[in-house]
């Protein structure tokens, strides 16, 4: 037993192939069944210009070491962060070199697919400065931020205070004598907390603090404040700043905390585009009407809705491709063969898997088109607001709030369902779905908590309903606003019922839209009755408030989907692509109706027997779409570099890729694990000794 | 600007208190409102003996450095694994020292709350040897495993093959000449994969391989095989073994892969308790009836169901306590005051939060009592089987499959909902819910995938229904089996409807049980019709198969809950504790009914107007239970050491604990982050230079 012992021997797999049929063969078979052209559908969904830009940028970054991805599976938090710093720096260099604009950098970030320390500089600091600086401040802050000479963050949330900005504790007291503000954190709970890019990266921060002038509290206002030395990056005196520690995800960003100890900043720090503090006197000048900024919120939310489609598209791509490859059990009623051999059935051939995955695919398209519609409504509204017409704003703002809430929840749940639909291997980080899920989680909480947001939507819907009942909205306006249209229809016939007598009747867009409109309006009417007639408090009906918002937004999504198809020209959307999209729109609508069937039943619109027709129709749609499954996810046009998934590779080399990743695992670089001597050997050698002793 | 610069300065928070009222005050107020005695309820739920053991073990381990927890937030995978090795070794030492038995070690693991490398040695290797070894093998394998002289794992799953054991590829060919078996991995997909404790720890493995004798394939059989040297832990020649890399959770275990290259093992490796291969001739002797081992599966599943209650109890404890402390927005209709000051409203006072959290609390109790009931049924069945009576087995096995599926899904979803109910701070690992979620995730897949398991349950239910319709089950047997009882009731009156005319009518256990029974039976009847009359294939009805299993198991849970209360003596369960449990049982039942209301409506049992009564009754129950919220989670008796959560501390010092953890974050041990010089400074100093140049 005296082999020479080199412990530094990496594990290598024997040179073996997976059992036939392999993934490449199986995906090829799937793709040969497509009823439509993948590129045509991609172009219709994403636009040719975007797809071309993406291709161009992909070619640049996928071979650049600063954007390398496979190591992140094995890195510690600190290592991942350092690599993300490298990516941020390289992106700045490439932007200067190649003239990339914001849209290009957006594509870089989408492909790189990992938050990085500079993120909040771009998404919050720079935009806030752009909106809130006066001309002088633009030079001092904004332009330097654009050149990365200062790196900033947006410090609003506090340790004890989240969504309610009125509860913030940090104060900024005007000192007339020196024309300064003194920023101070009075309690532990007033520490700024969760602020991305703050922990170790930013040297500036926009700080939301209560403005105090001559002992009067004017509520929270924004200040642009230096927090670290530009010479050596040390925190400045009076500042306590650091990282808030590990999180469930987002660990490549340094979310930070920040406390002020009677910290003085000059007068220019007060961002003075909207309100002002006059130097010397400290006279406070009120902000002008801020309704214009509501438009920006709609834009941000349209972006988030678009992002939720992407998140779900990733999950669906991985799960659908892998489900065509992964085989489990022999379906004895209809056994699959490869050559002469009976093989296990690919899991995508089980109806339950189809039901899960294809409804998810339909969700991806539904969310995508809803986000595009929202974006379009935003553009229209911007033009109208410039003309002084604010009549579209309230409806748009309400819908965007509800859609953000609904679609981010859909995306998160759908992504996790896709991960589970991959069985055991979905649990490996090599599935590419683990980090994706962890990093997406905050989206259901930030930019408006998903529960809180529904209140905004529902408040608007109730108000509109009451106005309609009171006759305060003219019929002329009906033609401009979908909400008033479906509410009016309901009020005209509150006992309407569904006319469907067969499953295929449910395929009519008119029937579907009427059904969704009726159900949403019924929920609103019930809630108004509960509040106005039964005298229930707002707090006591919050569960229904959330339901009503969801019902409205599902209607919006169904409508966006059908309208998108209807309005497409024959050239943009030829017959085969139109047909499959129409099936998907129906699947989205009917699957949603099935999930929410209780509300359709309770409203009296749908009968129990109709609900059974509906259920069968959903399965029928799933069966019709099944042959296109792989091609439909191919049309999401997500490159392997983005997916970084062994299970979701375009070429189907699932097992080969898993093995390749495993060979890189740090534990596999040594034959014997570090803990062996101390924690395993004592017991094992005690046993060997016992054995030898017993032989004596 | 020449301060001396020491970068190794850890960040310290200023010595400030949270803004009043603090967490300790708020929890005290909550506890003062309790309608019952916390200890009495704990003892009723968990038994005094268990609680005492737990206390005793807690006192030993919470001060032992081998069981220390706070560092795990910051450790790399390798560091966490090494620490877990230390814990395993120390547990063995303490067991030998203090005479701990399996139950004690179970409590240690529950409190330590992190998978560790030896885990599968205990949960799979040793039990398999106990069950499958003949007397000779017990000495050679089992007894040495008990003494940790050999460390083993259970290698069944393969890279390309999960739940379907018949699909395994690894072969074990009998070689009569040498009386050996030759184990071999023919393809890449035949590599053993996902095997816990295998990657770097085990030196033995029970390997499931297809037994081949004289070219005949007898299907998968277990072999106990040495894979690493007992001298120096090196993999033996012919063995390729290693770790499968990082996972979404469970990273403190070395899940591994294992490949065999014509690897010879002696005849004794074939575990011969059930079937045998005669030496020399290779004659195969068939196994005896294996039905007895079904009993063991029930026991394992009862344990998993019990564990899902614990997982959910953790989530509920953290979320409920923190929700009493976290304040957000002023409820203007009913503003809260502290002294004279209006304060933000604790989030637990919002009905939506109550609805989420209290239904979760009721789930914890419902799952707990269902697991205890299952355990009791297991004991009864074991006694009966010993007498040769197998009549209880099928029902018990079916229910245990469905309950495993239902309750692990409930636990996982509930845990995540609790995390989100904590708002932003729920996303910090310091919430104590992140690792918990990640490590619990595999439970919905292993020991039977939750989707696949429902097929077992439903198959049994359909069979029973058909037998009843065909008159093959005698009425006498009805008294022994709940399934036949509710199916018979349905068959007697398939047009039954719910008699409730007021919300409080729904509080009757009889009404509730009849409703759940009718709904489950209706689903079964519909499915039988679909299969037997409409000729649908099993594959095409899998969605409904899952629904039927769930309906049956929800009935089982509701019944277990009510029976547990009913059968408790006045001494065990005095009036105040009985009252709150009865409310919780009703909340569990009615909240479940509300969630599944579509099925109750479609079955015709419930009307739309009754569903509205039901909805109000749920909110009414929530309001009644609200004052007991914190005490109900206190009664789960989960110590702070177990929770390891800043948000869930018993004393409510949430913000103080968060700050204390943050000070330990490695990034906060240096003033300036490592990436600064390379990735931040160049841009900032370019700016300084530009500024200086412009001044020249």
């Amino acid at each position: 037993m005296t082999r020479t012992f080199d412990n530094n021997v990496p594990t290598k797999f024997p040179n073996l192939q997976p059992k036939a049929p392999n993934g490449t063969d199986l995906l090829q078979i799937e793709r040969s069944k497509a009823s439509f052209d993948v590129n045509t559908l991609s172009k219709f969904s994403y636009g040719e210009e975007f797809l071309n830009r993406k291709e161009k940028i992909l070619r640049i970054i996928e071979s650049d070491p600063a954007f390398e991805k496979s190591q992140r599976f094995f890195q510690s938090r600190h290592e991942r962060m350092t690599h993300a710093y490298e990516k941020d720096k390289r992106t700045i260099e490439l932007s200067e070199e190649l003239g990339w604009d914001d849209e290009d950098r957006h594509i870089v970030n989408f492909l790189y697919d990992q938050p990085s320390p500079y993120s909040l500089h771009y998404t919050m600091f720079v935009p806030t400065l752009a909106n809130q600086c006066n001309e002088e401040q633009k030079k001092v802050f904004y332009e330097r931020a654009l050149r990365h000479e200062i790196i900033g963050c947006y410090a609003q949330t506090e340790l004890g205070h989240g969504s309610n900005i009125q509860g913030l504790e940090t104060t900024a007291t005007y000192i007339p004598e020196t024309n300064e503000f003194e920023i101070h954190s009075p309690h532990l709970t007033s520490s700024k907390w969760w602020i991305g890019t703050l922990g170790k990266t930013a040297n500036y921060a926009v700080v939301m603090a209560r403005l105090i002038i001559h002992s009067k509290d004017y509520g929270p206002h924004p200040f642009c404040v230096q927090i670290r030395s530009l010479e050596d990056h040390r925190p400045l005196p009076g500042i306590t700043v650091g990282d808030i520690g590990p999180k469930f995800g987002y660990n490549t960003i340094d979310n930070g905390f920040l406390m002020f100890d009677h910290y003085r900043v000059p007068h220019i720090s007060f961002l003075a585009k909207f309100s002002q503090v006059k130097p010397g006197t400290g006279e406070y000048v009120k902000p002008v009407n801020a309704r214009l900024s509501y438009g920006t919120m709609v834009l941000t939310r349209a972006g988030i809705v678009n992002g939720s489609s992407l998140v779900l598209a990733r999950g669906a791509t991985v799960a659908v491709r892998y489900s065509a490859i992964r085989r489990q059990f022999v379906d004895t009623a209809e056994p699959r063969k490869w050559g002469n051999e009976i093989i296990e059935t690919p899991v995508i051939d089980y109806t339950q898997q189809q039901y899960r995955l294809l409804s998810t695919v339909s969700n991806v398209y539904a969310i995508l088109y809803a986000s595009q519609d929202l974006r379009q409504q935003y553009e229209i509204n911007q033009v109208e607001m410039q003309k002084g017409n604010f009549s579209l704003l309230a409806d748009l703002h309400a819908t965007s709030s509800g859609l953000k809430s609904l679609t981010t929840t859909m995306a998160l749940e759908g992504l996790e369902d896709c991960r589970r639909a991959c069985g055991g291997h979905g649990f490996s980080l090599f599935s590419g779905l683990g980090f994706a899920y962890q990093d997406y989680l905050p989206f259901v909480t930030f930019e408006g908590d998903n529960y809180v947001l529904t209140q905004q939507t529902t408040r608007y819907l109730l108000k509109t309903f009451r106005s309609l009942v009171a006759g305060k909205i003219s019929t002329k306006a009906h033609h401009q606003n979908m909400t008033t249209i479906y509410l009016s229809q309901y009020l005209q016939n509150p006992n309407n019922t569904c006319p469907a007598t067969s499953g295929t009747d449910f395929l009519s867009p008119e029937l579907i839209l009427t059904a969704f409109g009726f159900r949403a309006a019924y929920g609103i009417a019930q809630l108004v009755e509960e509040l106005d007639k039964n005298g229930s408090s707002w707090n006591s009906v919050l569960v229904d408030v959330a339901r009503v918002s969801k019902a409205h937004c599902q209607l919006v999504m169904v409508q966006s989907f059908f309208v998108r198809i209807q309005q497409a020209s024959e050239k943009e959307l030829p017959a085969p692509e139109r047909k499959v999209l129409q099936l998907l729109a129906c699947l989205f609508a009917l699957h949603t109706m099935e999930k929410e069937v209780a509300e359709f039943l309770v409203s009296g619109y749908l009968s129990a027997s109709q609900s059974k027709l509906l259920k069968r129709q959903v399965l029928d749609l799933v069966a019709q779409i099944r042959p296109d499954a792989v091609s439909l996810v191919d049309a999401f046009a997500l490159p392997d570099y983005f997916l970084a998934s062994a299970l979701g590779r375009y070429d189907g080399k699932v097992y080969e890729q898993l093995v390749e990743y495993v060979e890189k695992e740090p534990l596999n670089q040594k034959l014997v694990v570090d803990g062996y001597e101390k924690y395993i050997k004592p017991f094992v050698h005690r046993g060997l000794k016992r054995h030898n002793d017993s032989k004596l």
Side-chain angles (χ1 to χ4, degrees), chain A residues 562-608:
Chain A
F562 282 124
V563 168
R564 185 81 164 87
I565 299 171
Q566 221 168 39
Q567 293 185 343
S569 70
E570 178 63 29
K571 191 168 164 248
E572 280 178 291
L573 196 63
E577 290 72 26
R578 186 177 297 265
K579 190 182 162 207
V580 73
L581 271 194
Q582 188 74 25
L583 289 173
L584 281 168
C586 288
L587 178 59
F588 170 71
L590 299 188
H591 178 255
T592 303
M593 201 185 285
E594 198 192 359
K595 261 194 323 182
E596 313 286 355
V597 74
E599 291 187 21
F600 288 89
L601 290 167
V602 169
S603 74
Y605 189 76
L606 209 68
S607 71

Side-chain angles (χ1 to χ4, degrees), chain A residues 335-353:
Chain A
R336 304 298 184 282
K337 286 196 162 188
W338 187 256
N340 286 324
E341 201 190 349
I342 289 177
I343 58 169
E344 291 181 279
T345 300
V347 293
I348 201 174
D349 281 338
Y350 292 106
T351 55
Q352 200 169 31
Q353 191 83 348

Side-chain angles (χ1 to χ4, degrees), chain A residues 490 514-524 547 550-552 554-555 592 596 599-600 603 605:
Chain A
Y490 171 80
T514 308
F516 274 89
F518 187 91
R519 167 253 193 163
Y522 176 84
I524 293 165
R547 287 180 186 151
K550 193 189 202 182
H552 170 78
Q554 287 173 336
L555 166 61
T592 303
E596 313 286 355
E599 291 187 21
F600 288 89
S603 74
Y605 189 76

Side-chain angles (χ1 to χ4, degrees), chain A residues 247 406 636 652:
Chain A
K247 295 142 293 185
L406 174 61
F636 299 147

Side-chain angles (χ1 to χ4, degrees), chain A residues 56-68:
Chain A
K56 204 171 133 190
I57 290 170
L58 176 65
R59 279 195 299 273
I60 294 164
I61 67 172
E62 71 179 341
S63 55
D64 188 318
F67 299 90
E68 203 273 338

Side-chain angles (χ1 to χ4, degrees), chain A residues 5-71:
Chain A
F5 185 28
D6 175 8
N7 194 27
N8 298 313
V9 180
T11 305
K12 286 272 166 227
F13 280 86
N15 188 16
L16 288 172
Q17 294 301 310
K19 191 174 179 186
N22 66 34
T24 309
D25 294 335
L26 288 166
L27 287 185
Q28 208 156 20
I29 294 171
E30 289 290 336
R31 288 178 178 127
S32 72
K33 292 189 287 191
S35 73
F36 67 94
D37 178 62
V38 167
N39 283 331
T40 306
L41 185 55
S42 292
K43 282 181 200 165
F44 174 74
S45 297
Y46 301 99
E48 193 163 6
E49 200 245 329
F50 171 80
L51 293 171
N52 289 344
R53 270 207 201 203
K54 193 171 73 175
E55 263 312 297
K56 204 171 133 190
I57 290 170
L58 176 65
R59 279 195 299 273
I60 294 164
I61 67 172
E62 71 179 341
S63 55
D64 188 318
F67 299 90
E68 203 273 338
K69 282 186 171 187
S70 75
Q71 282 307 312

